[in-house]
Amino acid sequence: MIIAIIILLVVIIVFLMLYNMSIHKKIDTFNNINQKITSLNVLQDFMDTISEEKSADSKIQKINEILIEKYDIKYSTIVVYDGAEYIIKATNVDEKHWDTLKSLYQEPIFQDSIQTATPKYITVEKEGERLPYQKMEFGRAKSAMFFPLYIDNVYIGYWIIESGKPHDFDGVDTTILEVVRNNIVAVLKTLDNQQVIENIVRDDLFTGLKSEEYLYGEGKRKIDKYTTSAICMFTIINIIDINEEYGRHTGNEVIRKISELVKQNIASEYVFVRYMGPKFVIVFSGIEIEDVTDFMNQLKQKIENMEVEQAEEDLYEDEEAQIVKPKINAVMTTYYKGTAMEGVTKKLEEYLDNADKKESAVNYI
């Protein structure tokens, strides 16, 4: 009888062990599925952030905030090498620790990770210890995962996540985080192109206007507050004749005077840039073409009624200054929010370049 009871107990214990293992396996499976769902949601949030009309820097900061929230990370820092120095692109760590975070590439413990493009996990064993890269701090981080970042096999920086608890990342699925790391790289690559455009925007020497590149960055964000906008490109069709007959300084003065006239006649919410050479672009944000038709015809008339005196630098001794009158040709179309601004301006430019050299009107395409 006792033997039967012992056997029964052993069977029950074995059954409970197997059941417990089964439950544990299901929990692991559920956690993996949950992590994968989280990663898909994070990726969607990344894509939504990229498409927002914000600066590249604010986008990468928001992406870091998404990582912190979705993965319940205590600290997350993205550091990028810009060709001259390491720059913190996004972090939620206090600024007093930034110098340490920007110098992690120099730490021996991470150098092998950078060389092999593999993540590195480090942790302390007890509360009194500190991580190898911590020089002055004790209480902030007790475990960390370091991910080197590469674009097309070129090392560009790193992403480091930190926790205030020892061994906090022991059970983390690194394959999921590596997918996140790859998504960060993809985002950085996309935003790098945006930042190039933002950084090459310049003020034109003669007019004080923004250059063409402004249309594709900050200007576009301003324009895309509206669903549609009327966009006009015009060119000074007799600028070459003015330069040749009256001198280049006079041509520059014509360009400057036209810029001043247009600025004085358009509202501040509209975007006005010097596109290239004698070409200019006005974007009437949120306005339909038919609502600015009369205005553009009136503006064209004002420009062509201007009288610009020949520049003193272009006069020979005792020569009397001549009066110069510009002529323009203009073309308009509708710009739709979210479409390629450069495609629209290219279409307008092609029209003006291929138009009859004597054409002087306000056209629509």
Side-chain angles (χ1 to χ4, degrees):
M1 183 70 178
I2 294 174
I3 294 174
I5 292 173
I6 292 172
I7 292 172
L8 179 61
L9 289 173
V10 169
V11 170
I12 292 172
I13 290 169
V14 170
F15 173 78
L16 289 174
M17 288 176 62
L18 292 173
Y19 180 74
N20 186 55
M21 289 173 62
S22 174
I23 293 296
H24 185 71
K25 187 175 181 180
K26 287 179 180 179
I27 290 173
D28 284 344
T29 302
F30 174 79
N31 286 336
N32 286 334
I33 292 172
N34 191 49
Q35 283 185 330
K36 289 175 181 176
I37 291 172
T38 299
S39 294
L40 288 173
N41 290 335
V42 168
L43 180 57
Q44 182 60 54
D45 289 342
F46 277 13
M47 296 303 102
D48 292 342
T49 300
I50 290 174
S51 64
E52 290 177 359
E53 295 301 324
K54 295 182 177 179
S55 68
D57 285 339
S58 61
K59 286 180 183 179
I60 194 63
Q61 184 62 46
K62 182 174 179 179
I63 281 167
N64 198 49
E65 291 168 2
I66 291 169
L67 294 172
I68 292 166
E69 177 188 351
K70 297 292 186 181
Y71 290 100
D72 195 23
I73 297 168
K74 179 69 173 176
Y75 302 111
S76 175
T77 302
I78 299 171
V79 180
V80 173
Y81 181 64
D82 70 352
E85 61 180 339
Y86 282 81
I87 297 174
I88 291 181
K89 300 296 287 185
T91 187
N92 65 328
V93 177
D94 193 283
E95 190 172 353
K96 64 185 179 182
H97 302 301
W98 286 10
D99 285 342
T100 297
L101 291 170
K102 286 192 293 186
S103 304
L104 295 183
Y105 68 96
Q106 296 176 331
E107 295 293 330
I109 196 165
F110 295 131
Q111 287 179 355
D112 183 60
S113 175
I114 292 172
Q115 290 170 2
T116 59
T118 55
K120 180 73 174 182
Y121 175 36
I122 56 175
T123 184
V124 301
E125 295 300 326
K126 48 190 177 184
E127 286 297 330
E129 299 176 345
R130 63 183 175 187
L131 297 173
Y133 61 86
Q134 295 176 321
K135 309 303 180 186
M136 304 295 292
E137 51 181 314
F138 285 91
R140 187 179 66 83
K142 298 296 182 182
S143 54
M145 291 194 75
F146 178 92
F147 297 87
L149 304 177
Y150 282 78
I151 292 180
D152 299 330
N153 296 321
V154 176
Y155 168 70
I156 62 159
Y158 48 86
W159 170 44
I160 184 169
I161 58 175
E162 300 169 292
S163 170
K165 301 176 183 176
H167 293 279
D168 200 29
F169 299 125
D170 285 6
V172 171
D173 186 347
T174 56
T175 58
I176 296 293
L177 288 179
E178 287 193 56
V179 171
V180 174
R181 184 264 306 268
N182 292 337
N183 289 333
I184 290 173
V185 169
V187 168
L188 287 172
K189 189 173 183 179
T190 301
L191 296 184
D192 183 59
N193 295 331
Q194 177 183 338
Q195 206 154 36
V196 167
I197 291 174
E198 291 175 348
N199 290 339
I200 62 176
V201 173
R202 64 192 186 282
D203 290 337
D204 179 63
L205 179 63
F206 299 111
T207 64
L209 300 175
K210 297 294 184 185
S211 62
E212 169 197 355
E213 292 78 14
Y214 179 78
L215 287 173
Y216 313 133
E218 185 179 343
K220 190 172 188 294
R221 289 193 290 275
K222 186 176 179 181
I223 296 161
D224 278 356
K225 291 178 181 177
Y226 306 91
T227 304
T228 61
S229 298
I231 179 169
C232 175
M233 181 182 291
F234 69 87
T235 186
I236 308 168
I237 59 175
N238 62 337
I239 193 67
I240 295 176
D241 295 335
I242 291 172
N243 286 338
E244 290 178 352
E245 187 172 349
Y246 302 102
R248 190 164 294 275
H249 291 93
T250 304
N252 290 337
E253 186 66 9
V254 168
I255 289 172
R256 191 180 66 80
K257 291 284 190 183
I258 289 176
S259 302
E260 288 179 355
L261 176 65
V262 175
K263 280 190 287 186
Q264 291 168 2
N265 281 272
I266 64 172
S268 59
E269 62 265 28
Y270 301 152
V271 174
F272 178 41
V273 301
R274 186 176 182 185
Y275 182 76
M276 189 182 300
K279 296 189 183 78
F280 297 82
V281 170
I282 309 172
V283 183
F284 300 93
S285 311
I287 305 297
E288 300 292 335
I289 284 183
E290 54 267 26
D291 295 329
V292 290
T293 300
D294 289 342
F295 171 80
M296 276 308 304
N297 281 299
Q298 291 168 12
L299 183 62
K300 178 179 183 297
Q301 188 173 359
K302 286 181 180 180
I303 291 173
E304 295 181 342
N305 285 340
M306 289 173 56
E307 293 186 347
V308 181
E309 190 175 271
Q310 189 177 8
E312 187 177 336
E313 296 91 334
D314 293 329
L315 296 175
Y316 294 105
E317 193 173 337
D318 298 328
E319 187 178 12
E320 186 177 341
Q322 301 295 308
I323 297 299
V324 176
K325 301 189 73 170
K327 290 182 71 66
I328 69 167
N329 195 27
V331 60
M332 299 179 67
T333 193
T334 299
Y335 165 76
Y336 297 91
K337 176 181 178 179
T339 58
M341 175 66 76
E342 62 272 23
V344 177
T345 54
K346 187 67 177 175
K347 181 171 66 172
L348 298 176
E349 184 181 20
E350 286 175 352
Y351 177 89
L352 292 177
D353 288 345
N354 294 322
D356 188 290
K357 300 304 179 185
K358 295 182 181 180
E359 181 180 279
S360 177
V362 177
N363 306 283
Y364 307 91
I365 58 174

